Amino acid sequence: WQQVASKAEYQQSLGSQFDLILYHAGSMNLSLREVIDLLLVNNLDIPVIVINDTASISQAVAAIKTGATDYIPATELERLPTAVTQALAEPNTCFHVAQCTAQTEQQLQQLITDNADGIIVVNKRGKVEFVNPAALELFAKSEAELIGEPLGFPVVDGDYVEVDLPQTSGQDLVAQMRVSHIRWQGKNAYILSLRDITQIKQAEAERAKLLEESQAANRAKDQFLAILSHELRTPLNPIVGWSQLLQTGTLSEAQMKKGADIIQRNAMLQSQLIEDILDISRIIRGKIELQAAPIKLSNIISNAIDTIKLSAQAKSIQINTDFSNHKDLVWGDSTRLQQVIWNLLTNAIKFTPNGGRVEINLTSVNNTVQVQIKDTGKGIEPEFLPHIFDYFRQAENVNTRAQGGLGLGLAIVRHLVELHGGTIGVDSPGVGQGATFTFALPVLNARNKLGSTNSPLPTTKNLEGIKALVVDDDDSSRDLLIFVLENEGVTTKSAASAIEALRVIEQFQPDILVSDIAMPGMDGYELMQRVKELPTMQKEQPNAIALSAYASDTDRERSLASGFDCHINKPLDISNFLQILTQLLD
């Protein structure tokens, strides 16, 4: 064999005796026409197989018409040995014009018949002259149904035009069309190559959808983090500012009281934000559990109204209720249901302008108890309604929104209602026309109607004579607990570490042990285990309360498993702490 790279080398090589020429299109400055013409000039009868890097029907047709024996795209090189065998087995008679034309037509028809793409020949009037088997499969029709009939879509001259191919199944195919001009049976015509790209287009659409969803999720996450930063820093500003002012010692008594009130209000706001974040975490991990009992929703609603009444009065918002005669009970967690109603009422007050109105209706509908909270507030845009209960979604822009909050409340509400076996929905005629939130819970079976379970918490008993040991490595937290306990008449001792607590406890013999969990050296869990092993504690263990900033259900379960009687989350709710203390001592 011999390889040539120029026209001069090719002319010189023609003096040798070759059986076959492999022409690599575009590999040298010599056209296929020149290759064939030089063979004719030298009266040589040598078959020529064209190899091209691109699969082009128009180039294949041109090559065969020029006089090539075969045309093989680089993607089909596995066909080369067969093509070589066929070329050497058949005499090349293309040097006589009439014979060449006949052979060209035959080779062209064979080429397009065997092609994996759908090949169609269309005359100048748009009627189908020829279809290969692949095209019949694409159209899902027989040859008789296509030959002589209009194609059904315009023939656009060019490459990579996308066309839709209707199917009887109803699921249309998408094909990539390439068009070339040819001479077919002595007349001008078009040859179309159709490649099925339906799966490629579907995959592209799916990728685009996933990309958009991912980008939307990232935008929502970024927006949420921006809101989180804003909402946590906003209450910090007055807390830090008034703390600094109080330390100066120059404020009047009235100013000091005002500062303390502001600090407390903003600290509780921060606490609520943190609780919302923890609730979302519990929801995502499926860790929210209900402490269910028979509940009268009218009592829950009344309690929730009491907590938001001052906010409503500050904006002169009228609250109307209609549930005085409602007696049906539901089975649920009173704390979580109050959280649902409080969230919905808080939103209604927040988004209702001064002088507005909020209506709360409680009715029984089809074996459900239905609560409807309707306001005359700013309303909801129709396009945002489907996303109102989504996580991390808010209708307002981060920088221009008029109201605070993390946008988690309604997502939490939806999940809590669904945990109770209920449903929740929202309706709004549009911006400026208010909104109506409606949720429904299953009615409790009549035989379980035990009356209201919302009995008041027991009052704090006289704690004088009680001994308590407070363990916390944080000085401020430790001092707060000591002040609260001593204010109730409790005798206290404190320890700044678990190791120090073990030294104190044997001598002090406390009735109550209040301990932080996360401490250097030895944590609260290990401290509780060591206390249970002390010889002096074998007869009677102190009542033990875990007080921790770790507030997940797993943390609570671990505290109870290590020996604590209860687990209280930081920040400390003093009233709740004293009630729990009283219950333990009882």
Side-chain angles (χ1 to χ4, degrees), residues 147-334:
I147 297 296
E149 296 296 324
L151 185 60
F153 52 84
V155 176
V156 181
D157 196 5
D159 286 347
Y160 309 114
V161 178
E162 291 181 8
V163 294
D164 294 327
L165 302 181
Q167 302 287 297
T168 55
S169 63
Q171 184 177 2
D172 294 353
L173 298 181
V174 181
Q176 191 179 74
M177 179 174 70
R178 306 177 73 180
V179 179
S180 298
H181 293 271
I182 63 167
R183 292 284 293 176
W184 182 263
Q185 296 178 350
K187 296 180 180 179
N188 291 328
Y190 299 102
I191 184 167
L192 283 62
S193 167
L194 295 170
R195 176 166 297 181
D196 185 0
I197 59 170
T198 306
Q199 292 185 347
I200 295 174
K201 298 298 290 183
Q202 289 173 344
E204 288 176 354
E206 186 64 26
R207 281 196 298 270
K209 180 182 176 183
L210 291 174
L211 178 61
E212 174 56 32
E213 290 175 352
S214 173
Q215 290 174 340
N218 283 332
R219 287 194 298 270
K221 180 189 69 175
D222 292 342
Q223 186 176 24
F224 169 71
L225 291 175
I227 293 171
L228 176 62
S229 175
H230 175 272
E231 293 301 309
L232 290 177
R233 289 175 184 273
T234 297
L236 271 179
N237 188 51
I239 290 174
V240 173
W242 276 101
S243 298
Q244 292 172 343
L245 289 174
L246 288 171
Q247 287 176 338
T248 63
T250 61
L251 301 182
S252 66
E253 186 175 345
Q255 289 173 326
M256 291 175 65
K257 183 179 184 307
K258 178 181 178 182
D261 289 343
I262 291 174
I263 289 173
Q264 181 188 25
R265 184 167 64 252
N266 282 278
M268 295 309 294
L269 174 60
Q270 266 206 334
S271 176
Q272 182 59 51
L273 294 174
I274 293 169
E275 282 302 316
D276 281 352
I277 296 170
L278 292 175
D279 273 346
I280 286 295
S281 174
R282 295 184 189 108
I283 287 170
I284 291 171
R285 293 182 293 116
K287 293 294 185 180
I288 285 189
E289 296 180 0
L290 302 179
Q291 305 298 321
I295 299 292
K296 192 173 182 182
L297 276 180
S298 58
N299 292 348
I300 299 290
I301 295 172
S302 296
N303 292 339
I305 291 174
D306 287 340
T307 63
I308 57 93
K309 187 175 291 183
L310 289 177
S311 300
Q313 289 174 352
K315 297 178 69 175
S316 300
I317 293 174
Q318 183 180 354
I319 299 179
N320 299 328
T321 62
D322 182 12
F323 52 78
S324 57
N325 296 321
H326 193 273
K327 301 185 182 301
D328 283 332
L329 302 182
V330 298
W331 183 257
D333 186 320
S334 60

Side-chain angles (χ1 to χ4, degrees), residues 469 493-495 499-510:
L469 173 61
K493 283 191 178 296
S494 65
I499 295 172
E500 182 184 351
L502 289 172
R503 291 197 296 266
V504 173
I505 198 168
E506 290 195 272
Q507 299 174 351
F508 186 50
Q509 297 286 306

Side-chain angles (χ1 to χ4, degrees), residues 517-535:
I517 294 298
M519 295 181 290
M522 182 189 299
D523 63 21
Y525 303 130
E526 187 178 350
L527 169 63
M528 199 63 230
Q529 292 294 323
R530 297 280 289 272
V531 168
K532 289 160 60 177
E533 296 169 0
L534 291 174

Side-chain angles (χ1 to χ4, degrees), residues 421-465:
T423 58
I424 187 168
V426 61
D427 180 58
S428 176
V431 177
Q433 301 183 65
T436 302
F437 286 84
T438 306
F439 74 90
L441 303 177
V443 172
L444 186 62
N445 190 293
R447 59 188 168 85
N448 290 327
K449 292 181 180 179
L450 305 178
S452 174
T453 61
N454 299 301
S455 56
L457 290 171
T459 55
T460 305
K461 65 181 288 185
N462 186 351
L463 299 179
E464 289 186 7

